[in-house]
Amino acid sequence: MDHVTEIPRRALTRTARLASLPLGAAGRAAVGLGKRATGQSSAEVAEEMQRRTAEQLFTVLGSLKGGAMKVGQAMSVLEAALPEDLVEPYREMLAKLQDAAPPMSSADVHTVLTRELGPRWREQLVEFGETPVAAASIGQVHRGTWADGRTVAVKLQYPGAEAALRSDLQQLARLARVIGAWMPGLDVKPVTEELLARADEELDYILEAEHQRAFAAAYADDPDVVVPQVVAGTRHVLITEWLDGVPLGQIIRDADQPTRDAVASLYLSFLVGAPARAGMVHADPHPGNYRVTPDGRLGVIDFGAVGHLPYGLPPVIGELIRLALAGRDEEVLAGLLDQGFIRRGTATDAHAIVSYLRPFIEPLGHEEHRFSREWLREVSQRTTDFRHPEFAVGMKFNLPPEYLMIHRVFLGGIGVLSQIGGTVPARALGEQHLPGFAEPR
């Protein structure tokens, strides 16, 4: 068996690779001190250290797959919030984590297919591309042809993925403080904790198939969104209809402005509108899960992570945003206290609270808003820089457990929108999809 392409399964091997990260950082720091002593400027040394750190960090995360790569993908949607002088060394390595990882060997692929579909699997999967067309955190995708002639995507879970996912997330939670120091503005710990709590859902392709069927039914014949139909599935193999299209990552890199505007509107509409349509929110917003189809629709794939919202988004979110934009500060504060976003007994000033929130919600107050990296960095500064005068106001906020998933998904979605760099009809989309936002009639 080719051990280079096999997911590292042994706990000691995986732990050793993850443990190499802080050791590598310490070594680079020592080299940096030496270079400064020989006359190289601090800025040059810092840039070189950041680039080497990024290369080691994401090479290790990508080669481990499992939870390490999953965390890297979750972080990648937030890179737009990083200061420009820090983000450049990381951007390329972050992007690579969205759709690249060493593939399984052919022997492992055939073993998984035989175990999951039976020894006569080629009678159903009459054509099968041996080379994977995409790779993700816990599985890889092959292109094939089903017995009825349909072109299909065959997603196979890596052998040992379950143990690897849990081990990585636990280990990365311990290293979160170190990793956070390398990447200011990206808090790894909450990401690892939530992913660990949802690991069972991510690993069960039968459950993912149920999610995808529900989304496909909700968006059947939709003019703007397409979800591939499920063809067959087991716990470790999922077969769906093939979806042609341009990956969202390519749109982010290469598209012209009109295309960016159109795609950003489709993406935001799906993100906010899915709870009302499907009773769920797609909880993995990174660009690798989206593509633009030849007929201009937004194609959505990978439903391993969803948030169940059977009654849609809570109307109180839209109501509080509407009140804040209208300057009704005291009512906003009362609502935040009632929902537990601010703990009772905390010394608060209604005007200061709304002033802190306003940059985050202000796009919905305009007919149009352009999401951009520059806008997101400016908005994010007050939450990540303790020197900012409003940083202390943000410390008064509390996030109730029932809003944790919603907060993470929309924070990630805003990060992706800022990478797309599109102008959207913000107010109209808010009134259409955000319960409680439109003025009562």
Side-chain angles (χ1 to χ4, degrees):
M1 182 177 291
D2 184 354
H3 292 283
V4 174
T5 61
E6 179 184 8
I7 184 169
R9 298 169 189 163
R10 294 179 56 192
L12 288 176
T13 301
R14 303 181 67 77
T15 300
R17 292 196 186 185
L18 289 169
S20 72
L21 297 176
L23 293 175
R28 282 185 294 278
V31 171
L33 287 173
K35 289 187 175 181
R36 281 196 293 271
T38 60
Q40 192 170 348
S41 73
S42 297
E44 291 173 332
V45 171
E47 182 179 353
E48 183 177 346
M49 286 178 62
Q50 286 175 0
R51 187 168 298 281
R52 290 188 179 184
T53 296
E55 289 173 356
Q56 184 193 14
L57 173 61
F58 297 113
T59 296
V60 170
L61 293 182
S63 68
L64 286 174
K65 307 180 185 179
M69 188 176 172
K70 177 65 70 175
V71 170
Q73 290 173 336
M75 290 192 300
S76 73
V77 303
L78 300 177
E79 61 92 350
L82 289 169
E84 191 61 32
D85 59 341
L86 292 175
V87 73
E88 193 56 39
Y90 302 120
R91 185 172 288 150
E92 181 179 355
M93 301 305 295
L94 282 164
K96 288 180 180 179
L97 278 172
Q98 294 175 10
D99 53 13
M104 282 191 279
S105 67
S106 294
D108 278 346
V109 167
H110 290 185
T111 297
V112 171
L113 288 170
T114 300
R115 185 186 67 229
E116 298 294 317
L117 301 180
R120 301 171 67 177
W121 58 269
R122 287 190 181 275
E123 294 181 5
Q124 297 174 297
L125 198 56
V126 295
E127 292 182 11
F128 180 75
E130 296 289 342
T131 302
V133 296
S137 54
I138 61 172
Q140 65 187 38
V141 179
H142 295 251
R143 184 168 178 156
T145 303
W146 199 243
D148 60 8
R150 282 181 290 178
T151 303
V152 293
V154 184
K155 184 160 74 168
L156 310 172
Q157 191 172 117
Y158 300 126
E162 182 168 357
L165 180 64
R166 297 183 190 283
S167 173
D168 285 356
L169 291 174
Q170 291 168 351
Q171 182 73 1
L172 282 163
R174 299 186 190 104
L175 295 174
R177 183 174 298 178
V178 176
I179 296 173
W182 300 339
M183 302 187 67
L186 296 185
D187 192 351
V188 182
K189 188 175 181 180
V191 173
T192 59
E193 289 177 344
E194 185 185 351
L195 290 174
L196 186 57
R198 304 176 68 88
D200 287 338
E201 294 183 18
E202 288 268 356
L203 291 160
D204 188 350
Y205 285 178
I206 294 176
L207 188 58
E208 179 175 347
E210 293 177 6
H211 297 158
Q212 185 156 342
R213 287 189 182 99
F215 271 91
Y219 284 93
D221 301 318
D222 189 87
D224 297 322
V225 174
V226 57
V227 176
Q229 295 289 337
V230 173
V231 176
T234 69
R235 182 170 171 81
H236 300 108
V237 172
L238 178 61
I239 302 174
T240 66
E241 291 181 345
W242 183 264
L243 184 65
D244 284 317
V246 178
L248 188 53
Q250 185 175 333
I251 299 292
I252 290 171
R253 291 190 300 271
D254 302 328
D256 57 22
Q257 194 57 50
T259 301
R260 292 177 185 274
D261 295 345
V263 172
S265 294
L266 290 173
Y267 181 89
L268 182 56
S269 293
F270 175 76
L271 193 71
V272 184
R277 290 279 293 269
M280 292 180 282
V281 63
H282 191 291
D284 196 356
H286 82 79
N289 293 330
Y290 297 87
R291 57 209 62 230
V292 179
T293 62
D295 61 2
R297 291 186 290 174
L298 182 71
V300 189
I301 59 176
D302 197 338
F303 293 84
V306 305
H308 293 272
L309 295 168
Y311 305 105
L313 288 172
V316 68
I317 297 175
E319 292 168 5
L320 290 176
I321 293 174
R322 172 170 50 81
L323 292 172
L325 291 173
R328 294 157 68 173
D329 298 356
E330 294 294 340
E331 293 175 70
V332 173
L333 177 57
L336 292 172
L337 287 166
D338 182 64
Q339 294 295 313
F341 286 105
I342 297 176
R343 291 190 177 93
R344 295 192 181 276
T346 303
T348 52
D349 174 80
H351 179 70
I353 290 292
V354 174
S355 295
Y356 175 84
L357 291 173
R358 187 171 296 279
F360 299 95
I361 63 177
E362 198 166 31
L364 290 170
H366 298 286
E367 293 297 329
E368 292 187 334
H369 174 74
R370 185 180 178 221
F371 287 95
S372 67
R373 288 183 165 94
E374 295 76 18
W375 169 81
L376 184 58
R377 282 197 294 270
E378 183 178 344
V379 170
S380 300
Q381 185 182 13
R382 64 188 59 216
T383 65
T384 59
D385 188 349
F386 68 91
R387 296 166 298 182
H388 195 282
E390 291 190 359
F391 181 83
V393 178
M395 299 299 291
K396 297 179 182 293
F397 281 85
N398 171 62
L399 190 61
E402 60 268 29
Y403 287 97
L404 178 62
M405 181 273 301
I406 296 174
H407 176 266
R408 182 188 65 78
V409 170
F410 283 96
L411 181 64
I414 289 171
V416 173
L417 284 166
S418 298
Q419 292 180 38
I420 297 172
T423 299
V424 302
R427 181 182 295 167
L429 290 178
E431 291 176 346
Q432 180 181 358
H433 296 299
L434 196 57
F437 178 71
E439 288 285 349
R441 294 183 178 178

